[in-house]
Amino acid sequence: MISVIGLFLGLIFLTPTLTEIIKSLFPIRYRMNWFVGCYIIYYLIHPLLNKAVEALNKPAFRNFAVILFVAYSVLGCIQQEYYYTNLVGFICIHYFVMYMKRYMNQEKTIKRDITVICGAVCLILLWIVSVNFCGRYIAFIHNHNLLGCTFINPCIIFLALAALHIAITCKESHCGIVNWITRYSLLIYLIHGSYFWLTYGKYAAIENLSNKGIPLICCTLILIICYAVITLFVSFVYNRLLEGCLEKAANIIAGKLECMSRIPKEK
């Protein structure tokens, strides 16, 4: 539904090609939002992933996780090899988290975790600045501003594992504002990842701001702030207006399919 709404908005401002229209109508089939299709497949196979390492002891599991980390996370920042796909990245993270929960879950090291998070954030910012600076002088990097920009990046892995470890080991608490915002996280991702916005809209927005004399870095910061505010608001409106109706429709369709599956076949 979000992809179709994006298509209608695209038709107002653009003249989409037939290929773009078809892809917008079948976003999972054509990986317009890769995360959704990849997560569905991961969700289906994750019980098998757990079974695959049941017999591994701690040293063997640690070696297995280290090999995955080096092959796909460390080396993958420069160039992904060894038949890497986003699904392989999901599987790597599955085993990293599984090792942490199995062997490190009881260790309360909140100071270390906070240090890891702060260090990872600093390294990410340093990496971004370095890539953009070197790109001005090194031809190979000139058109690779997103070098290392992958969810399997070592800094992102360490940051996420440290944050997860804090959540697991600390005393449970509730924050209404945080819970309210995070309930829309998937919708925020899907709206932000709209094909026509990513392909045309954000560049047009930056160009319009630049034409008004605003420096490029300020244009980017303004866009980030707009992302944070507008996508949250749109997600809230979408949830209130459409999600309940869509969930009811999906339940009706699922119920009918279940009934059809129970009808015995005629001999």
Side-chain angles (χ1 to χ4, degrees):
M1 181 60 70
I2 291 175
S3 182
V4 171
I5 292 173
L7 172 60
F8 282 129
L9 293 175
L11 289 169
I12 296 174
F13 301 100
L14 304 164
T15 304
T17 65
L18 179 61
T19 301
E20 290 176 325
I21 293 173
I22 293 174
K23 287 183 176 181
S24 295
L25 295 175
F26 302 97
I28 295 179
R29 168 65 180 82
Y30 292 102
R31 294 188 295 179
M32 300 288 277
N33 295 114
W34 68 266
F35 178 88
V36 179
C38 190
Y39 187 81
I40 290 172
I41 297 173
Y42 162 73
Y43 192 78
L44 291 172
I45 67 172
H46 86 274
L48 300 177
L49 299 178
N50 294 338
K51 281 186 171 294
V53 294
E54 277 183 354
L56 293 183
N57 56 26
K58 183 177 180 179
F61 199 166
R62 182 182 61 244
N63 293 338
F64 174 57
V66 168
I67 290 171
L68 291 179
F69 181 77
V70 172
Y72 293 114
S73 185
V74 177
L75 298 179
C77 273
I78 306 302
Q79 185 177 4
Q80 286 289 6
E81 296 290 351
Y82 312 114
Y83 306 100
Y84 177 83
T85 64
N86 289 328
L87 180 60
V88 171
F90 271 44
I91 294 171
C92 290
I93 293 174
H94 175 90
Y95 285 127
F96 299 157
V97 173
M98 191 174 181
Y99 180 84
M100 184 193 74
K101 292 177 71 175
R102 182 182 291 184
Y103 298 111
M104 302 170 61
N105 195 16
Q106 304 302 321
E107 302 176 16
K108 293 186 178 181
T109 54
I110 187 169
K111 290 184 179 179
R112 185 192 67 185
D113 292 331
I114 292 175
T115 301
V116 170
I117 291 172
C118 294
V121 170
C122 291
L123 286 174
I124 291 171
L125 293 175
L126 179 62
W127 175 267
I128 293 171
V129 172
S130 300
V131 168
N132 281 272
F133 178 79
C134 294
R136 301 174 63 182
Y137 306 101
I138 303 175
F140 171 73
I141 307 178
H142 183 67
N143 292 321
H144 291 78
N145 287 2
L146 297 180
L147 183 66
C149 182
T150 169
F151 67 90
I152 201 74
N153 183 298
C155 292
I156 295 177
I157 294 297
F158 281 122
L159 188 155
L161 291 178
L164 178 61
H165 192 253
I166 291 175
I168 291 173
T169 57
C170 287
K171 183 180 178 180
E172 183 177 347
S173 60
H174 298 277
C175 178
I177 295 177
V178 172
N179 290 339
W180 183 80
I181 293 174
T182 54
R183 67 180 295 190
Y184 300 119
S185 57
L186 180 59
L187 287 176
I188 290 171
Y189 162 75
L190 292 174
I191 292 169
H192 165 266
S194 173
Y195 171 80
F196 292 102
W197 170 252
L198 286 183
T199 308
Y200 305 106
K202 71 175 182 179
Y203 298 109
I206 290 177
E207 185 178 0
N208 288 333
L209 291 173
S210 298
N211 291 338
K212 295 179 181 180
I214 300 175
L216 185 58
I217 185 66
C218 294
C219 294
T220 305
L221 292 174
I222 291 172
L223 207 59
I224 291 172
I225 294 172
C226 290
Y227 274 158
V229 176
I230 295 175
T231 54
L232 178 59
F233 174 75
V234 173
S235 298
F236 170 76
V237 173
Y238 176 89
N239 180 266
R240 282 302 186 95
L241 296 180
L242 289 176
E243 192 158 280
C245 298
L246 292 173
E247 186 174 354
K248 290 179 181 178
N251 289 335
I252 291 172
I253 294 172
K256 289 186 178 297
L257 290 174
E258 187 176 359
C259 290
M260 291 173 59
S261 67
R262 292 176 179 175
I263 298 175
K265 295 182 179 179
E266 294 182 5
K267 294 183 179 180

